[in-house]
């Protein structure tokens, strides 16, 4: 039996049991047998959730890039590490081998040093999904600089806020980026942001779109000439297990983004171990996660997890709709992708297009499908299963967060029987608990509550950068000695978990707690509905009533809206009960989303309650125009 690679359901239960009964011994064995260390730990785990303080593999020394690069050189030097697929399908894909990646990271690391970056300094990376993004992340890790990747779709204000929050010294960017048929002037956005960032000393600029840009003397440097001159050897900085590896801001679905800080050893062990099992990665597989490296999914499951396992990881620069909505499937066919990991928002957008463009391509290489980011509704799950997986690739519905560093609740493909809309069982080492409003744990099955975790796992964030109090208040204060996720969940008769939505979004109607996901799920079953979101608003009799925002597959003009409303409420009544019927249903052209693709219900809630002057932090909002049109057409 290998604890590192679980292949059978029985094995899952055995390994899980061990990971819970003897967590320290369990993680010590994983760490010892599957990673390289410069020095071993004195203590596997020290923790206190009341402070909170969590330390894994204390006093061990390592460098994560030696685990992601150097150790593979001998056996896998010529294997493709990063497979770069450009925005334009006519531009050639680039296969970067482990040997080449190692050399490019070392050169980049030497450039960082030459520009004065030292261990512990913060470096903000604002790059499109081109190889330099992954390389600069690894180059920072190589020398112990703390990277903070900022999604290259963010505005200059969002960028400057983050740069100042983590007090970065350097920004790495490019002249511009391609996004479908458009180009974006990234350097212009950086210039604007830096007017408010007095502590930035230098800006490295990669060339991608060959545009003419302003270069500020003494601050801005073209990257390529520096790389050309750089030495190709760069010894890895020896890091302590608990030295910071990166800061990453959350998506901002529930409020002001939080700068989560992750450290070296625990994060490495957890992202690598989850990757291996949740995707059942085998040595010759080609793995593709469609996320951007600007999100935690990209950190853990495009860069660190795959590379620590010596995998081939695809990096896609473009968008699912360019040149047409068949682009994802064309890439799957072209590179014979075996594992495909995406988000419900992408699945719903693609499902809306029908199946013609899916059928054009050979998807027979696929073995595992994944989803992350939001609850996946049942209809989208079936569409994915039938049309993409052809009912033979298990879907892993992976629940986790920026804070958790890696996947927490998930099926293991070919091991755990799946169930639509259920993230199923806790991953190895994860001890979930459902809590009631009074702080008591709800035991047994067929129950619902607030999703907490009782015991630390190696990937947990250690703090919010510069604001430990907020870290404590947000995650460790609601329930004693527990990590509180902010999400609600139910546990079914066999112990499977289903995420029911954010606890902040739970609506109390006539004294009943209603989660958003199951109701939206029922609405989305209507064949005319593409997507929906529900929120509560004050109601004289019920306390709160439900307000639904519904986007139709076609613009819906041909349909009678009143009939549609009746049909939707009938579906809700059938699936959940009359208590969950919607008081108001507004048909919209779209829903407000974060730039990571999640529905921002807190904005919809403000609109439903007619508090449109209090929309809160909108810095991560993708589509302000949709918000305006929703406000205009408010019922
Ligand atoms: P913020 O914390 O700033 O409000 P956010 O929570 O959206 O933003 P992320 O860390 O990117 O930031 O997202 C984590 C959240 O995404 C989870 O707490 C959960 O609500 C949701 N989520 C992720 N995966 C799943 C999943 N498989 N099923 C249901 N929900 C999921
Ligand atoms: Mg969150």
């Amino acid at each position: 039996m290998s604890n590192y690679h679980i292949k059978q359901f029985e094995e899952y239960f055995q390994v899980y049991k061990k990971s819970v009964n003897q967590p320290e011994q369990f993680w010590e064995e994983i760490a010892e047998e599957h990673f390289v260390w410069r020095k071993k730990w004195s203590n596997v785990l020290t923790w206190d959730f009341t402070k909170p303080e969590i330390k894994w593999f204390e006093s061990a020394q390592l460098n994560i890039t030696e685990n992601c690069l150097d150790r593979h050189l001998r056996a896998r030097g010529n294997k493709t590490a990063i497979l770069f697929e450009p925005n334009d399908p006519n531009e050639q894909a680039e296969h970067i081998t482990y040997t080449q990646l190692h050399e490019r990271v070392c050169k980049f690391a030497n450039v960082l040093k030459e520009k004065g970056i030292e261990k512990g300094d913060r470096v903000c990376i604002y790059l499109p999904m081109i190889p330099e993004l992954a390389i600069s992340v690894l180059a920072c890790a190589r020398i112990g600089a703390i990277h903070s990747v900022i999604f290259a779709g963010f505005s200059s204000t969002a960028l400057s806020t983050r740069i100042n929050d983590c007090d970065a010294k350097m920004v790495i960017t490019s002249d511009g980026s391609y996004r479908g048929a458009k180009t974006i002037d990234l350097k212009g956005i950086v210039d604007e942001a830096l007017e408010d960032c007095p502590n930035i000393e230098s800006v490295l600029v990669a060339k991608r779109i060959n545009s003419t840009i302003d270069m500020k003397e003494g601050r801005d440097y073209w990257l390529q000439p520096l790389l050309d001159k750089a030495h190709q050897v760069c010894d890895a900085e020896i890091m302590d297990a608990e030295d910071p590896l990166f800061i990453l801001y959350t998506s901002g679905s529930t409020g002001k983004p939080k700068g989560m800080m992750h450290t070296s050893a625990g994060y490495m062990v957890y992202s690598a171990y989850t990757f291996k099992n949740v995707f059942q990665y085998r040595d010759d597989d080609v793995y593709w996660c469609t996320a951007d490296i600007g999100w935690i999914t990209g950190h853990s499951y495009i860069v660190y997890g795959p590379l620590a396992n010596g995998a081939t990881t695809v990096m896609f620069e473009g968008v699912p709709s360019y040149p047409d909505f068949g682009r994802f499937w064309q890439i799957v066919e072209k590179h014979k992708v075996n594992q495909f990991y995406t988000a419900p928002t992408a699945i719903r957008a693609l499902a809306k297009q029908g199946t013609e463009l899916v059928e054009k391509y050979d998807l027979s290489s696929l073995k595992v499908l994944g989803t992350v980011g939001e609850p996946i509704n049942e209809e989208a799950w079936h569409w994915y299963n039938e049309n993409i997986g052809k009912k033979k690739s298990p879907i892993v519905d992976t629940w986790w967060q920026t804070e958790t560093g890696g996947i927490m609740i998930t099926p293991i493909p070919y091991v755990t029987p799946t169930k639509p809309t259920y993230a199923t069982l806790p991953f190895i080492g994860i001890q979930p608990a459902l809590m009631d409003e009074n702080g008591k744990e709800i035991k047994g099955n067929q129950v619902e509550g607030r999703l907490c975790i009782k015991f630390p796992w190696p990937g947990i964030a250690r703090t919010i950068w510069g604001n430990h109090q907020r870290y404590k208040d947000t995650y460790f204060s609601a329930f004693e000695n527990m990590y509180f996720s902010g999400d609600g969940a139910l546990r079914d008769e066999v112990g499977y978990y289903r995420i029911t939505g954010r606890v902040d979004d739970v609506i109390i109607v006539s004294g009943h707690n209603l989660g958003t996901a199951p109701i939206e799920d029922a609405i989305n079953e209507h064949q005319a509905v593409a997507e929906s979101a529900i929120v509560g608003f004050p109601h004289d009799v019920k306390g709160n009533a439900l307000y639904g925002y519904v986007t139709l597959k076609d613009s819906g003009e041909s349909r009678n809206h009143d009939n549609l409303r009746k049909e939707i409420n009938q579906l809700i009544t059938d699936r959940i009960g009359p208590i969950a019927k919607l008081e108001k249903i507004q048909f919209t052209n779209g829903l407000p989303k974060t730039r990571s693709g999640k529905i921002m219900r807190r904005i919809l809630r403000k609109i439903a309650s007619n508090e449109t002057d209090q929309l809160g932090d909108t810095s991560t909002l993708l589509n302000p125009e949709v918000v305006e049109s929703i406000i205009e057409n408010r019922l």
Side-chain angles (χ1 to χ4, degrees):
M1 191 177 88
S2 150
N3 287 339
Y4 191 71
H5 186 185
I6 294 149
K7 300 194 188 82
Q8 284 170 11
F9 207 26
E10 232 168 88
E11 214 179 326
Y12 160 79
F13 286 108
Q14 282 169 20
V15 177
Y16 181 76
K17 213 161 144 192
K18 180 171 177 187
S19 74
V20 168
N21 293 340
Q22 301 161 286
E24 300 195 16
Q25 194 187 331
F26 173 79
W27 288 111
E28 176 158 49
E29 278 170 28
I30 296 284
E32 188 134 37
E33 287 164 25
H34 298 279
F35 299 88
V36 293
W37 304 89
R38 289 295 188 107
K39 186 179 144 231
K40 292 279 159 68
W41 42 89
S42 55
N43 246 345
V44 178
L45 171 65
T46 332
W47 68 290
D48 179 349
F49 274 176
T50 61
K51 285 184 180 166
E53 183 182 81
I54 304 134
K55 291 180 182 162
W56 281 93
F57 310 112
E58 204 175 345
S59 81
Q61 294 184 330
L62 76 156
N63 186 290
I64 195 167
T65 69
E66 291 192 326
N67 283 275
C68 289
L69 301 170
D70 304 62
R71 69 157 154 164
H72 302 311
L73 295 180
R74 219 144 47 118
R76 301 193 182 88
N78 293 324
K79 179 177 173 175
T80 301
I82 292 178
L83 203 175
F84 171 61
E85 174 65 31
N87 176 64
D88 178 354
N90 298 316
E91 190 183 327
Q92 233 185 12
E94 190 182 348
H95 291 252
I96 305 171
T97 66
Y98 272 92
T99 304
Q100 291 165 337
L101 184 61
H102 177 256
E103 186 182 314
R104 288 175 71 173
V105 168
C106 287
K107 284 189 165 183
F108 204 124
N110 282 327
V111 169
L112 295 178
K113 279 195 201 166
E114 190 206 309
K115 289 289 162 234
I117 299 298
E118 292 173 6
K119 179 175 173 177
D121 286 344
R122 271 81 60 209
V123 173
C124 281
I125 303 173
Y126 186 70
L127 278 170
M129 282 284 285
I130 55 177
E132 284 76 6
L133 172 49
I135 292 166
S136 58
V137 160
L138 293 163
C140 286
R142 187 80 175 173
I143 64 166
I146 304 169
H147 57 76
S148 184
V149 182
I150 296 157
F151 174 59
F154 275 134
S155 66
S156 61
T157 336
L159 177 59
S160 61
T161 315
R162 286 164 181 69
I163 290 171
N164 291 330
D165 187 73
C166 71
D167 194 17
K169 261 172 102 169
M170 175 191 264
V171 177
I172 304 172
T173 188
S174 64
D175 54 351
S177 66
Y178 295 117
R179 232 179 139 63
K182 285 188 287 204
T183 55
I184 297 164
D185 174 23
L186 285 193
K187 178 61 167 54
I189 298 171
V190 170
D191 288 340
E192 218 177 290
L194 293 193
E195 284 173 20
D196 300 321
C197 303
N199 295 341
I200 289 293
E201 292 169 10
S202 50
V203 178
L204 302 183
V205 188
K207 203 169 237 174
R208 178 58 184 140
I209 66 167
N210 286 314
S211 58
T212 324
I213 56 168
D214 291 332
M215 294 291 278
K216 190 169 167 189
E217 180 90 34
R219 185 195 73 181
D220 302 348
Y221 304 90
W222 286 107
L223 182 60
Q224 197 54 51
L226 296 173
L227 287 172
D228 291 341
K229 280 188 294 183
H231 193 36
Q232 68 184 58
V233 176
C234 177
D235 289 338
E237 183 77 30
I238 313 281
M239 306 294 285
D240 280 331
E242 286 297 334
D243 277 341
L245 175 64
F246 64 84
I247 299 164
L248 184 65
Y249 292 86
T250 56
S251 296
S253 308
T254 57
K256 185 171 172 266
K258 298 158 283 223
M260 304 311 313
M261 187 193 89
H262 284 277
T263 57
S264 299
Y267 174 79
M268 169 181 79
V269 169
Y270 197 68
S271 61
Y273 182 55
T274 45
F275 172 77
K276 177 71 184 172
N277 287 291
V278 175
F279 299 102
Q280 289 287 305
Y281 186 84
R282 312 243 170 174
D283 223 9
D284 293 323
D285 289 345
V286 174
Y287 160 89
W288 180 22
C289 166
T290 70
D292 193 285
I293 294 176
W295 315 120
I296 190 68
T297 307
H299 279 58
S300 303
Y301 301 114
I302 296 178
V303 182
Y304 288 117
L307 297 179
N309 283 283
T312 297
T313 173
V314 175
M315 251 184 101
F316 175 46
E317 182 184 26
V319 293
S321 55
Y322 178 81
D324 61 37
F325 277 95
R327 182 66 163 132
F328 274 5
W329 321 127
Q330 183 247 333
I331 296 173
V332 169
E333 175 183 283
K334 180 176 174 190
H335 297 302
K336 300 196 171 48
V337 171
N338 301 110
Q339 291 91 357
F340 178 77
Y341 191 27
T342 195
T345 179
I347 298 167
R348 287 192 295 262
L350 292 165
K352 206 173 150 188
Q353 305 297 317
T355 53
E356 208 179 304
L357 284 166
V358 177
E359 280 150 18
K360 246 178 93 178
Y361 299 101
D362 176 8
L363 306 181
S364 62
S365 57
L366 290 171
K367 296 193 289 191
V368 176
L369 302 178
T371 151
V372 60
E374 281 184 297
I376 180 165
N377 56 291
E378 187 150 359
E379 206 188 45
W381 195 98
H382 286 297
W383 187 88
Y384 200 26
N385 183 40
E386 282 157 32
N387 298 294
I388 309 306
K390 319 288 181 199
K391 294 191 182 166
K392 64 175 186 47
S393 296
I395 296 176
V396 290
D397 178 356
T398 63
W399 174 80
W400 60 297
Q401 313 177 288
T402 310
E403 299 83 344
T404 67
I407 293 166
M408 300 289 281
I409 301 183
T410 181
I412 295 178
Y414 301 99
V415 171
T416 319
T418 59
K419 177 174 176 182
T421 75
Y422 281 74
T424 75
L425 295 172
F427 188 72
I428 306 299
I430 303 307
Q431 302 185 33
L434 297 181
M435 307 297 291
D436 71 15
E437 282 107 276
N438 306 319
K440 263 187 60 194
E441 184 172 354
I442 311 165
K443 305 253 174 144
N445 288 343
Q446 285 190 296
V447 293
E448 192 168 344
R450 285 138 207 260
L451 179 57
C452 292
I453 315 288
K454 286 184 196 176
F455 194 85
W457 61 100
I460 187 174
R462 305 301 194 252
T463 193
I464 291 176
W465 184 261
N467 198 346
H468 198 66
Q469 190 62 40
R470 188 176 180 205
Y471 188 57
K472 182 176 168 167
D473 294 345
T474 312
Y475 307 99
F476 299 92
S477 300
F479 303 98
E480 212 182 324
N481 255 315
M482 297 260 178
Y483 167 85
F484 172 48
S485 68
D487 289 336
L490 63 81
R491 193 161 50 220
D492 77 358
E493 63 286 354
V494 299
Y496 274 17
Y497 288 86
R498 176 184 186 175
I499 309 303
T500 49
R502 317 271 182 162
V503 169
D504 282 2
D505 294 335
V506 164
I507 308 151
I508 304 172
V509 179
S510 307
H512 298 264
N513 278 326
L514 300 173
T516 52
I519 303 174
E520 289 163 8
D521 202 33
I523 303 171
N524 294 0
E525 259 182 61
H526 193 289
Q527 34 93 9
V529 172
E531 221 169 25
S532 63
I534 58 152
V535 299
F537 71 100
H539 187 278
D540 293 345
V541 182
K542 303 174 183 168
N544 289 296
L546 298 178
Y547 193 120
Y549 299 87
V550 175
T551 310
L552 299 173
K553 279 181 185 154
D554 51 56
S555 65
E557 270 142 29
S558 55
R559 292 181 168 266
N560 179 318
H561 280 184
D562 283 334
N563 285 348
L564 270 177
R565 288 191 177 97
K566 279 190 200 127
E567 288 163 20
I568 287 169
N569 267 330
Q570 190 57 48
L571 266 171
I572 296 175
T573 309
D574 295 346
R575 299 284 184 280
I576 296 160
I579 182 86
K581 278 197 336 198
L582 307 182
E583 185 85 14
K584 292 183 181 177
I585 300 180
Q586 178 178 348
F587 294 102
T588 63
N589 294 324
L591 298 170
K593 295 208 174 153
T594 64
R595 283 171 198 268
S596 57
K598 298 165 200 270
I599 299 169
M600 270 177 155
R601 289 179 193 75
R602 65 179 164 94
I603 289 186
L604 294 172
R605 193 159 52 228
K606 291 289 180 194
I607 299 174
S609 313
N610 205 9
E611 294 170 353
T612 46
D613 53 335
Q614 303 163 39
L615 295 185
D617 186 303
T618 52
S619 67
T620 69
L621 183 64
L622 172 75
N623 44 3
E625 70 291 349
V626 163
V627 174
E628 273 164 39
S629 120
I630 292 176
I631 293 175
E632 235 164 75
N633 299 306
R634 183 178 166 272
L635 299 176

